[in-house]
Structure formats: structure tokens, C-alpha cells
């Protein structure tokens, strides 16, 4: 029974991350710094929404409500996303940095999940991984380019890196089921994921003029996985559900 | 979404008087034979100028058009609509990219075109200067404005300039998905709860006038159509497009139980639609910057350009600079 709680908890946090970041990235549609970025962010936003849908679908198969209800009918304190994805899009440098830090973690997460003992999740992970590869390619390419281009671009990215870093550490907030998750081989666990991620991030940033914040000097933003959020999340949900809530029983 | 000629006009000073008559005749013969003109081919200066203006205005309409609809991505009701709305608006931005590239083959850079948009020198489709206060407004745009655009673009895809025609062909394929999406979204509202039905009827009432204006002023007012038609820059007149649109969509709207806010709207015995002539003075006012949302739309675009300037500056590669065409 416990392992099912562990699985549900794991699925919720991943699905919620994708939904909320997909929503945030879609806010760039129409206002990107150049058309190509506008299109790229919109495209990745679509993928993320699709990923969250696939994960909510797995939850539905486990007896949870249907994806529309899960996405559109919960309050902020019922969400398990990390704080990083909730934050407003800010300057493009922040959105790019968030995308870089998050998507590198996400790709590693889904690569690991292809080995999950929960077969439906392993199958979904194979599909998602193949799309995430392109998200990471996009992020790494732009971080490399803008992180070495002009003094202004480097400075903006450095500022964004320092701003996003404590929140990025919150991606790896451990679940109360962490031991079961690892022992039942559902997933490698957050500690291992964070190690792999740090190595990856440091390699890419090492190819730029950007400096990785010294670990342990910044406190991770935690609580998201337990339902404690920044005020930005409820505001986002209010906007997202504005039309849906006019008549939740209607077909839209 | 938007296509072509509705806001396209030739300035009185634009003539072809300085062209070599023999070369001009050969050029016109090629067009008459249905050949496509390609970027390196000779073309009259006026042809180039008008094409740039036409494609550029089309491209601007795509990115400005992304704003009223883009505002509803984050609020779209339910997964299906959210993903479709996002995909649709992304397509429109993609169309702008395609079109700016097509216009660049004629010798004007994207940056120059963007500057002319922001300074108000070049125009974009009038309809995007009207507000979209509810979700239903965005569904009306997705269905009917895209429908109008397809009427226009399918005609212009048979025009004479190769890069523009090829861009339009691809755009039309994507627009046909938008049309299906828009139709589905409107039908759900029109056949839904009383609240939904009221919402869609009110949105349609708001949008009917801009839709009727979408195809541009009546042919009898337009005095520059002849040479544009001869050079296959314009492939159908404004009135022809408007009639075709009414033919295709009025019955569909009536069929799903919606009414149209024009008591005169009916088909006469010759098969022509009669309608109340839209207020063309308002059209002129709006196109010249005095519409309800002109300032807001350009301000959003200007802010996006200013905020993104550092990114474009940083990505600039000297070896990728634009080279002027030889023709």
C-alpha cells in the first residue's frame, strides 16, 4: 500500500511541475525576444503540457480524478510542484536559466525513470525523454551562446543564475516516501538525481563565462513538494481556471 | 491568420513609368503564362515595392494577431483547449517568421520591417485593433477570422511571386487546422449551457463588424486594383472574397443557432449576399491608429522588442548579415 502512496506522490510532483512550467513558458507566446525564441518556448510549453497530461493520466489509472479535474480543480496547497516553476517569467534571462536548470534535471529524471519498476511510468518516460532531449539541446545551446556573447548577456545570465539557484535546489526536495521509492526501484531518488544534475550543469556552465554559485552558500527553497507554495502559484491557478470555473460542468 | 490585400493600397505617386518597356513586357508575359517570379529574377521596382508592403503587412498581422488570442492561452478552459490554443498561436508566430523571410528575399530586413511596424509606418490587419474581452471572442477569431484569411490566402497562393506563394501554401495547411479547432470551440459554446450560448452570441455580435471589414473596402472605392490583379499580386477583389466568405459561413452560423447582427443580411435572387455596408469611415480611423486597441497592441510589441534587444544583440553573428539580392 505504501509503495502506491509513494508512486502517487512521485507522479503528482512531476505532473504538477510540468503543468505549471508549461503554463509559465506559454506566457512567452507573442512576446519573445525574437520570433524563433517565441516559437521555441511555445513549442516546449506544448510538450510540457502534454507531459503533464500523460502523467495525470497515469494517476487517473491509479484511481485519482481525471486530468482536467486534477489540473483545473485543485487549490495551490494541493499542488506538489517545486517553487522554481511557479515564479513569474521575469526577464528572458530568468526564463532561459530556469529552463536550463529545470530541463537538465528533468531529462536526467526521465532517463532514470525508463528503468522504473512501475512499467507504465517507464513506458511514458521513454517517450518523454525523446522530447526532453530537444528541450535540453535548446537550453544548453543558448546558455553557451549567451553566456559567452556580450558583457550584458553574461551579466544578465549570471544574475538569473544566482536568483534561480536556490529554487533549482528545491527541485530535489525529498519525498516522505523516499526510502520506499528507492528500495522498490521506482526511481533512483532525489539525492542521486541532484548529484548527476550538478555534474551536468557544472560542465555546461564551465564552457561559459558564468560562475556556478558555491554550494551551501544559498539555502534551497523547499516546501513545494509538501504543498507549501509561493503566492505566485495561487495567482497562476486563478488565471488558469478563470474560464473553466464559469461552469465546470459545461463542455468547453 | 490574416491574408493579403485588405489593407493594401497603392500610393498615388507609385508608377511604372521608368521601366524599360521591352523588359517589362517580357516580365508581364511570364506572369500571364502563370510562371512564378523568383528572388533573383528581374522585376519592376513597383512590383517589388508593393510585394514587400503586402508580405510585410501580412507578417505584422500574424504577430499582432497573436496578442489578442495569446492572452487566452493561460486561461483556456481545460486541457484540450489550452494545448490547442497554444499550438494555434504558436503557428501564427511561425507564419510571421515564414513571411518575414519571404519579404527579406525582396531586400528588406526583418529589423527594418519591425521598425516600420513599431513606428506606425507599416500597417497590419484592422481586426486586431478590437478587444477580446471573453474566451468566446477568441473562439470567434479562431474560426471566422481564420476562415476569412483562408479565403484570401488560397487566392493569393496562386499569385506570381514564388517565395510568397510557397509560404502561403504551407500557411493555408496550418490554417485549416485552426479552422477545425475554432469551429469545434464555437460549436461547443453555441450548443452548450445558456451562459455559454449567451457568451458566444455576444462575442459574435461584437466581431461581426470587424469581420465584414476584414476583406477591405468595397471594390468601387478601390482604384488601384487593376495593375495589382494584372501582376497577380492580388488574385481576388475585396468584394469577391467577402461574398465567398458569406457564402461559406453564414449558413454554418445559422445552422448552429446563432444570429447575425445585420437585419439586411440575405441572399438575393442572383445569388449575391446583401448586407449593411460597414462603416468605412470607422475602418479608416482604426487603420490609421485610432481604434480601441491600436496603442495597446503596438505598446506590447514595442515592449517585447525593447526587452529582447539584448538577446538579439548577443546572438548577432557578423557572417550571417543579410546580403542584398542581385535583381
Amino acid at each position: 500500500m505504501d509503495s502506491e502512496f509513494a508512486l502517487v506522490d512521485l507522479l503528482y510532483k512531476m505532473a504538477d511541475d510540468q503543468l505549471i512550467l508549461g503554463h509559465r513558458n506559454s506566457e512567452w507566446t507573442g512576446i519573445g525576444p525574437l520570433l524563433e525564441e517565441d516559437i521555441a518556448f511555445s513549442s516546449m510549453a506544448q510538450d510540457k503540457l502534454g507531459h503533464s497530461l500523460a502523467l495525470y493520466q497515469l494517476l487517473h489509472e491509479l484511481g485519482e480524478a481525471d486530468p482536467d479535474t486534477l489540473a483545473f480543480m485543485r487549490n495551490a496547497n494541493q499542488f506538489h510542484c517545486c517553487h522554481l516553476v511557479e515564479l513569474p517569467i521575469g526577464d528572458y534571462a530568468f526564463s532561459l536559466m530556469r529552463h536550463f536548470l529545470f530541463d537538465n534535471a528533468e531529462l536526467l529524471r526521465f532517463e532514470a525513470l525508463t528503468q522504473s519498476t512501475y512499467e507504465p511510468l517507464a513506458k511514458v518516460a521513454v517517450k518523454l525523454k525523446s522530447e526532453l532531449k530537444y528541450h535540453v539541446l535548446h537550453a544548453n545551446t543558448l546558455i553557451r551562446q549567451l553566456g559567452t556573447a556580450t558583457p550584458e548577456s553574461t551579466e544578465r545570465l549570471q544574475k538569473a543564475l544566482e536568483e534561480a539557484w536556490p529554487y533549482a535546489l528545491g527541485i530535489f526536495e525529498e519525498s516522505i516516501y523516499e526510502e520506499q521509492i528507492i528500495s522498490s526501484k521506482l526511481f533512483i531518488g532525489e539525492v542521486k538525481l541532484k548529484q548527476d544534475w550538478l555534474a551536468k550543469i557544472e560542465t555546461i556552465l564551465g564552457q561559459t563565462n558564468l560562475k556556478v554559485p558555491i554550494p551551501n552558500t544559498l539555502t534551497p527553497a523547499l516546501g513545494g513538494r509538501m504543498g507549501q507554495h509561493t503566492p505566485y502559484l495561487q495567482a497562476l491557478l486563478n488565471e488558469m481556471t478563470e474560464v473553466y470555473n464559469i461552469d465546470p460542468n459545461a463542455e468547453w | 491568420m490574416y491574408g493579403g490585400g485588405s489593407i493594401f493600397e497603392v500610393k498615388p505617386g507609385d508608377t511604372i513609368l521608368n521601366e524599360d518597356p521591352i523588359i517589362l513586357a517580357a516580365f508581364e508575359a511570364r506572369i500571364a503564362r502563370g510562371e512564378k517570379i523568383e528572388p533573383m529574377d528581374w522585376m519592376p521596382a513597383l512590383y517589388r515595392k508593393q510585394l514587400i508592403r503586402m508580405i510585410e503587412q501580412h507578417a505584422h498581422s500574424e504577430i499582432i494577431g497573436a496578442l489578442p488570442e495569446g492572452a487566452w492561452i493561460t486561461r483556456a478552459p481545460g486541457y484540450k483547449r489550452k494545448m490547442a490554443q497554444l499550438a494555434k498561436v504558436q503557428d501564427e508566430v511561425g507564419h510571421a517568421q515564414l513571411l518575414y523571410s519571404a519579404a527579406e528575399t525582396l531586400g528588406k530586413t526583418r529589423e527594418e520591417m519591425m521598425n516600420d511596424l513599431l513606428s506606425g509606418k507599416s500597417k497590419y490587419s484592422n481586426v486586431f485593433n478590437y478587444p477580446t474581452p471573453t474566451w468566446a471572442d477568441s473562439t470567434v477569431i479562431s474560426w471566422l477570422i481564420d476562415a476569412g484569411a483562408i479565403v484570401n490566402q488560397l487566392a493569393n497562393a496562386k499569385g506570381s511571386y514564388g517565395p510568397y506563394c510557397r509560404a502561403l501554401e504551407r500557411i493555408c495547411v496550418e490554417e485549416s487546422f485552426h479552422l477545425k479547432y475554432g469551429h469545434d470551440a464555437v460549436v461547443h459554446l453555441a450548443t452548450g449551457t445558456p451562459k455559454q450560448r449567451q457568451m458566444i452570441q455576444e462575442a459574435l455580435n461584437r466581431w461581426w463588424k470587424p469581420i465584414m471589414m476584414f476583406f477591405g473596402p468595397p471594390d468601387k472605392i478601390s482604384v488601384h486594383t487593376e495593375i495589382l490583379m494584372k501582376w497577380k499580386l492580388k488574385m481576388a477583389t475585396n468584394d469577391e472574397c467577402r461574398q465567398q466568405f458569406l457564402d461559406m459561413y453564414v449558413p454554418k452560423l445559422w445552422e448552429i443557432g446563432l444570429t447575425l447582427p445585420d437585419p439586411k443580411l440575405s441572399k438575393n435572387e442572383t445569388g449575391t449576399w446583401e448586407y449593411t455596408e460597414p462603416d468605412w469611415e470607422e475602418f479608416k480611423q482604426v487603420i490609421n491608429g485610432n481604434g480601441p486597441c491600436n496603442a495597446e497592441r503596438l505598446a506590447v510589441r514595442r515592449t517585447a522588442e525593447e526587452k529582447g534587444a539584448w538577446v538579439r544583440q548577443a546572438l548577432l553573428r557578423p557572417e550571417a548579415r543579410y546580403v542584398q539580392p542581385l535583381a
Side-chain angles (χ1 to χ4, degrees):
Chain A
M1 195 59 197
D2 269 4
S3 68
E4 183 158 329
F5 283 137
L7 173 62
V8 166
D9 187 62
L10 180 67
L11 289 171
Y12 262 118
K13 74 176 176 189
M14 294 191 297
D16 291 348
D17 275 353
Q18 328 284 331
L19 172 67
I20 302 304
L21 188 55
H23 181 102
R24 282 293 184 222
N25 284 349
S26 79
E27 292 176 23
W28 280 106
T29 309
I31 56 165
L34 64 162
L35 294 182
E36 286 73 10
E37 271 312 277
D38 201 312
I39 294 165
F41 262 84
S42 309
S43 174
M44 291 186 293
Q46 273 180 71
D47 283 350
K48 296 235 179 288
L49 293 178
H51 296 173
S52 68
L53 182 60
L55 295 167
Y56 286 134
Q57 197 59 46
L58 289 181
L59 281 165
H60 188 44
E61 284 158 18
L62 289 166
E64 301 292 301
D66 65 277
D68 267 334
T69 307
L70 292 180
F72 288 81
M73 298 288 279
R74 283 181 299 154
N75 285 316
N77 60 8
Q78 296 169 293
F79 272 74
H80 301 272
C81 51
C82 59
H83 292 182
L84 179 68
V85 298
E86 302 167 7
L87 303 173
I89 56 173
D91 182 49
Y92 173 77
F94 178 78
S95 274
L96 173 64
M97 190 53 76
R98 164 163 64 187
H99 155 48
F100 168 69
L101 296 172
F102 183 85
D103 283 24
N104 269 292
E106 200 188 8
L107 179 59
L108 292 169
R109 185 184 291 276
F110 281 94
E111 275 171 351
L113 283 168
T114 60
Q115 305 300 316
S116 175
T117 46
Y118 186 60
E119 212 173 299
L121 177 57
K123 276 189 180 164
V124 165
V126 171
K127 186 172 181 298
L128 268 58
K129 187 188 79 163
S130 65
E131 291 184 2
L132 289 170
K133 199 174 71 184
Y134 295 102
H135 297 198
V136 165
L137 185 65
H138 174 264
N140 293 357
T141 305
L142 277 158
I143 288 288
R144 282 195 193 99
Q145 285 186 350
L146 295 176
T148 53
T150 62
E152 186 184 8
S153 69
T154 312
E155 197 186 314
R156 280 178 185 266
L157 284 191
Q158 184 65 43
K159 190 170 155 271
L161 179 60
E162 276 153 30
E163 199 184 331
W165 192 263
Y167 293 99
L169 296 176
I171 299 173
F172 312 101
E173 180 177 355
E174 290 175 69
S175 149
I176 53 168
Y177 304 105
E178 207 65 17
E179 273 173 39
Q180 284 116 302
I181 287 173
I182 298 167
S183 64
S184 63
K185 296 203 163 101
L186 261 178
F187 179 54
I188 55 169
E190 299 299 330
V191 172
K192 174 75 174 82
L193 180 67
K194 185 174 155 189
Q195 281 170 2
D196 296 350
W197 172 80
L198 262 177
K200 188 76 205 285
I201 289 295
E202 284 173 355
T203 306
I204 309 285
L205 292 177
Q207 297 159 2
T208 68
N209 301 330
L210 302 171
K211 290 185 187 64
V212 183
I214 299 160
N216 308 324
T217 59
L218 296 165
T219 318
L222 301 177
R225 304 305 187 195
M226 311 297 170
Q228 297 144 18
H229 296 281
T230 66
Y232 300 115
L233 181 63
Q234 189 58 53
L236 179 153
L237 294 173
N238 292 346
E239 182 179 337
M240 187 169 88
T241 58
E242 185 186 302
V243 181
Y244 190 82
N245 279 337
I246 293 175
D247 191 347
N249 295 318
E251 264 205 69
W252 290 93
Chain B
M1 90 180 38
Y2 159 85
S6 71
I7 48 171
F8 175 56
E9 51 183 276
V10 180
K11 292 252 170 74
D14 292 343
T15 66
I16 52 169
L17 289 179
N18 295 325
E19 304 295 352
D20 180 322
I22 297 173
I23 303 175
L24 179 64
F27 170 82
E28 289 184 341
R30 286 188 66 192
I31 290 181
R33 285 196 297 273
E35 288 178 29
K36 298 285 184 213
I37 306 301
E38 296 298 338
M40 296 306 180
D41 294 344
W42 183 88
M43 61 189 83
L46 182 62
Y47 178 91
R48 183 188 299 275
K49 190 176 168 189
Q50 297 304 346
L51 250 183
I52 291 174
R53 187 184 299 180
M54 191 167 173
I55 303 173
E56 178 185 355
Q57 288 177 350
H58 186 171
H60 294 333
S61 302
E62 300 281 2
I63 51 166
I64 296 290
L67 302 178
E69 285 193 287
W72 289 97
I73 295 170
T74 55
R75 291 177 281 175
Y79 254 103
K80 191 168 78 171
R81 300 294 178 216
K82 192 172 174 69
M83 291 177 73
Q85 184 81 4
L86 174 55
K88 183 211 185 283
V89 183
Q90 184 211 13
D91 280 353
E92 309 296 6
V93 181
H95 296 169
Q97 191 204 16
L98 265 176
L99 292 161
Y100 284 123
S101 301
E104 281 192 309
T105 64
L106 292 155
K108 187 170 181 180
T109 64
R110 192 198 286 184
E111 200 181 7
E112 287 168 329
M113 292 186 258
M114 201 59 80
N115 289 341
D116 285 349
L117 168 69
L118 295 181
S119 73
K121 189 177 164 198
S122 52
K123 308 293 185 199
Y124 55 87
S125 184
N126 232 16
V127 283
F128 302 122
N129 291 316
Y130 290 87
T132 46
T134 72
W135 164 250
D137 294 76
S138 93
T139 66
V140 169
I141 298 183
S142 292
W143 187 27
L144 298 179
I145 298 297
D146 283 49
I150 291 180
V151 166
N152 218 314
Q153 286 164 2
L154 276 177
N156 284 340
K158 297 185 188 75
S160 62
Y161 189 59
Y164 188 37
C165 296
R166 290 188 286 273
L168 285 177
E169 268 172 34
R170 180 169 152 190
I171 288 170
C172 284
V173 174
E174 294 186 353
E175 296 292 358
S176 67
F177 284 107
H178 301 174
L179 197 65
K180 282 181 193 166
Y181 158 67
H183 179 248
D184 187 73
V186 170
V187 168
H188 268 79
L189 296 176
T191 58
T193 63
K195 225 181 240 174
Q196 286 176 309
R197 290 204 297 275
Q198 186 189 349
M199 201 185 201
I200 188 68
Q201 184 62 60
E202 286 173 359
L204 185 61
N205 293 347
R206 275 191 287 276
W207 277 85
W208 190 248
K209 189 177 61 180
I211 287 167
M212 290 298 283
M213 290 178 182
F214 180 76
F215 302 93
D219 296 345
K220 57 177 186 276
I221 299 180
S222 174
V223 290
H224 303 295
T225 301
E226 197 186 334
I227 186 111
L228 302 179
M229 298 281 281
K230 186 178 177 189
W231 282 349
K232 296 188 182 171
L233 287 172
K234 246 181 129 158
M235 297 298 286
T237 71
N238 298 349
D239 284 341
E240 282 165 3
C241 287
R242 197 166 10 245
Q243 284 290 330
Q244 197 187 336
F245 171 82
L246 292 171
D247 250 350
M248 290 166 80
Y249 293 97
V250 172
K252 288 191 203 321
L253 287 161
W254 283 342
E255 196 185 317
I256 54 174
L258 295 170
T259 58
L260 293 169
D262 179 1
K264 207 177 153 191
L265 190 72
S266 64
K267 219 172 183 181
N268 65 24
E269 61 280 5
T270 62
T272 309
W273 286 94
E274 309 261 353
Y275 48 81
T276 307
E277 206 60 54
D279 181 352
W280 295 113
E281 188 45 43
E282 178 184 323
F283 178 84
K284 218 188 281 174
Q285 282 294 319
V286 177
I287 198 80
N288 286 318
N290 301 317
C293 296
N294 296 57
E296 181 191 331
R297 301 279 185 255
L298 281 187
V300 171
R301 195 64 245 169
R302 195 171 291 126
T303 306
E305 287 300 306
E306 283 166 6
K307 283 191 165 178
W310 70 270
V311 183
R312 295 192 301 280
Q313 188 60 36
L315 293 176
L316 217 54
R317 292 279 179 276
E319 66 275 16
R321 293 300 293 215
Y322 180 73
V323 178
Q324 289 280 331
L326 296 172

